[in-house]
Amino acid sequence: MRLFQQNPLLAYGLAVLSAALGFYVRWALDGVLPPGFPYLTFFPAVILTAFLAGMWPGILCAVLSGLAAWWFFIPPIGFSLSPASGLTLVFFIFVVAVDIAVIELMRRALHDLEQEQALTAQLYERQRVMFQELQHRVANNMTFVAALLQIKKRTIDSPQAAEALDEARERLVTMAQIHRRLYDPATLELSVAASLRELCDDLVQAAGGRDVVCDVKAEEVELDTTRLVTLFLLVAEVVTNALKHAFDGRTSGCINVSLLPTGEGRAVLLIADDGPGFPATNTGLDGRLSLGFGIMHSLAGQLGGQLDFPPGTGAQVRLTFPT
């Protein structure tokens, strides 16, 4: 269709060719068809021309077809006009006019739809670029704030305050890394399991625990990007705490991360290490005495999930949440 629309010569050539082909087929079938079908093979020619080439080539094909049928196939032969031939011509004009009008309306509607789709695609691409730029700036801002905290730490003499600034800086850096990873177009095709493995590997390397193994087992869980960011922040918090406290005096260890759907629109995240476990007093498990546990509970609440700490070897954190 675009080829004929962009080249009028081809469009009107198609009109002439279609009329000639319709005439040839009608001539070949003249001895086979019963009387009263002078336009039988011309209707498809007009419809095809109007559909492919447009209204005016369709009109040209209709005029040529009508003249050919009037001269050769409507008795009396020649451009003779009688009540019967006149009625036949009126019928032909009415039918082809309706066909061409309907096809032209359809073509215009299709053209308008294509324009709307192109505009929608353009707006979507613009919004996508703006959104990615926004997320990039958010990650940059978090990295900048982390750098400011590092500079401020140099002016503080209190070890407790310096430790607090270090924790805040590390969390900001982790949030920036997760932001970049999940909003990077290059990683959109990665599965949740692959993204979790990359995140855990980055956390282990950043903590300097090269002999610590982070084993990730995950099945695909349907989450939007916002909830996925929250889930990854929770994983980062738990894994970071494990790297800090579970392997004191050890050069190796193992952290197991599993994310599995349980059916009925729910999933379970379980993170366990092979360290000594949580303190026997359970200090901080309610989130009041430990910043880390408070962050875990806050992130679990954002996911609408239930956070608990099942007993067992090492420290275990389990989150059951809706998907």
Side-chain angles (χ1 to χ4, degrees):
M1 293 175 63
R2 294 183 183 276
L3 179 63
F4 291 111
Q5 291 175 1
Q6 296 172 358
N7 194 326
L9 184 61
L10 286 178
Y12 288 102
L14 176 65
V16 175
L17 180 61
S18 297
L21 182 61
F23 171 77
Y24 173 77
V25 175
R26 180 60 182 82
W27 182 274
L29 298 176
D30 188 50
V32 178
L33 294 176
F37 296 92
Y39 300 113
L40 182 62
T41 60
F42 293 107
F43 286 130
V46 175
I47 293 174
L48 180 64
T49 303
F51 180 77
L52 293 178
M55 181 178 65
W56 292 108
I59 292 175
L60 175 60
C61 181
V63 171
L64 295 177
S65 299
L67 292 176
W70 188 9
W71 179 270
F72 290 99
F73 305 114
I74 298 178
I77 298 302
F79 293 133
S80 300
L81 190 60
S82 64
S85 62
L87 182 61
T88 304
L89 287 173
V90 170
F91 173 77
F92 174 76
I93 294 172
F94 173 77
V95 172
V96 295
V98 171
D99 290 342
I100 293 174
V102 171
I103 292 173
E104 182 62 20
L105 290 175
M106 182 186 65
R107 283 167 52 87
R108 292 184 180 183
L110 181 60
H111 181 262
D112 293 341
L113 179 61
E114 290 177 348
Q115 287 186 328
E116 290 181 3
Q117 289 177 339
L119 179 60
T120 302
Q122 183 180 2
L123 292 176
Y124 169 77
E125 180 65 19
R126 185 180 303 174
Q127 291 179 352
R128 186 185 67 82
V129 172
M130 292 177 63
F131 180 76
Q132 290 177 357
E133 178 64 19
L134 174 63
Q135 300 305 325
H136 179 70
R137 290 183 182 273
V138 169
N140 284 347
N141 289 339
M142 286 190 288
T143 304
F144 178 71
V145 174
L148 291 179
L149 293 178
Q150 179 67 20
I151 295 174
K152 185 64 177 178
K153 173 188 172 184
R154 299 172 184 172
T155 64
I156 295 178
D157 297 329
S158 171
Q160 293 81 3
E163 183 180 357
L165 288 178
D166 274 339
E167 289 186 2
R169 182 186 62 81
E170 290 174 0
R171 287 186 171 91
L172 281 172
V173 171
T174 300
M175 291 175 64
Q177 290 176 345
I178 294 174
H179 235 76
R180 294 183 191 278
R181 182 182 305 281
L182 293 182
Y183 288 103
D184 185 1
T187 62
L188 290 178
E189 297 182 357
L190 289 179
S191 63
V192 175
S195 298
L196 274 176
R197 291 189 186 94
E198 290 188 358
L199 172 63
C200 293
D201 290 342
D202 290 345
L203 293 173
V204 171
Q205 292 180 4
R210 296 184 178 179
D211 294 330
V212 175
V213 177
C214 191
D215 185 23
V216 177
K217 297 179 181 178
E219 296 183 9
E220 287 305 309
V221 177
E222 294 295 332
L223 292 175
D224 57 53
T225 305
T226 301
R227 288 169 57 80
L228 198 59
V229 169
T230 305
L231 180 67
F232 276 34
L233 288 174
L234 178 60
V235 173
E237 184 65 31
V238 178
V239 172
T240 299
N241 285 341
L243 291 170
K244 285 183 178 180
H245 306 295
F247 309 113
D248 289 339
R250 300 166 54 187
T251 59
S252 62
C254 181
I255 301 175
N256 295 305
V257 179
S258 66
L259 177 63
L260 302 173
T262 60
E264 299 181 355
R266 302 185 68 82
V268 171
L269 170 70
L270 179 63
I271 304 175
D273 59 57
D274 60 352
F278 294 116
T281 59
N282 288 338
T283 301
L285 292 183
D286 57 0
R288 291 178 296 180
L289 302 179
S290 169
L291 176 62
F293 284 107
I295 292 175
M296 293 179 199
H297 281 286
S298 175
L299 294 173
Q302 294 179 35
L303 290 169
Q306 179 65 39
L307 191 68
D308 64 321
F309 306 89
T313 304
Q316 299 189 42
V317 177
R318 179 172 59 194
L319 171 69
T320 304
F321 62 99
T323 57

